[in-house]
Amino acid sequence: MSVVIRHCTVDDVAASTLPAEYAEMGAPELPAPVVWWDQYRAMESAGIMYPMGAYFEDALIGFVFIVVSVSPHYSLKMAVTDSIFVSKAWRKCGA
């Protein structure tokens, strides 16, 4: 078996065990993250948030939230990574 990257939903991430670990993310100069799940869901529903999950078998072991929007500065669609996270237990195995 290997790790598979595929589409997931914000609810898949929120319902997993990852949010408890996700709290460790953040920059030391900023306050601790407080995830606004309803905003992520609204962005996903609007078609500007694209969650992708890293799965081992059926277990979600990591995720990335990609935001796609039109840049008013360049008049182009652009994508940025909002969040990227891999469970600590899977970080040294290539996940």
Side-chain angles (χ1 to χ4, degrees), residues 8-56:
C8 66
T9 67
V10 169
D11 284 337
D12 292 336
V13 175
S16 75
T17 59
L18 295 177
E21 284 188 74
Y22 181 64
E24 79 180 37
M25 279 184 66
E29 63 275 6
L30 296 174
V34 178
V35 181
W36 192 4
W37 293 110
D38 287 341
Q39 182 63 30
Y40 278 128
R41 288 181 189 99
M43 293 169 72
E44 182 180 29
S45 292
I48 60 172
M49 170 69 66
Y50 294 87
M52 301 294 291
Y55 289 85
F56 181 77

Side-chain angles (χ1 to χ4, degrees), residues 69-78:
S69 63
V70 175
S71 165
H73 187 77
Y74 293 104
S75 302
L76 297 170
K77 250 188 199 182
M78 301 179 90

Side-chain angles (χ1 to χ4, degrees), residues 75-93:
S75 302
L76 297 170
K77 250 188 199 182
M78 301 179 90
V80 296
T81 301
D82 173 75
S83 299
I84 186 167
F85 183 79
V86 175
S87 176
K88 192 172 186 176
W90 290 89
R91 291 179 193 164
K92 292 187 179 183
C93 70

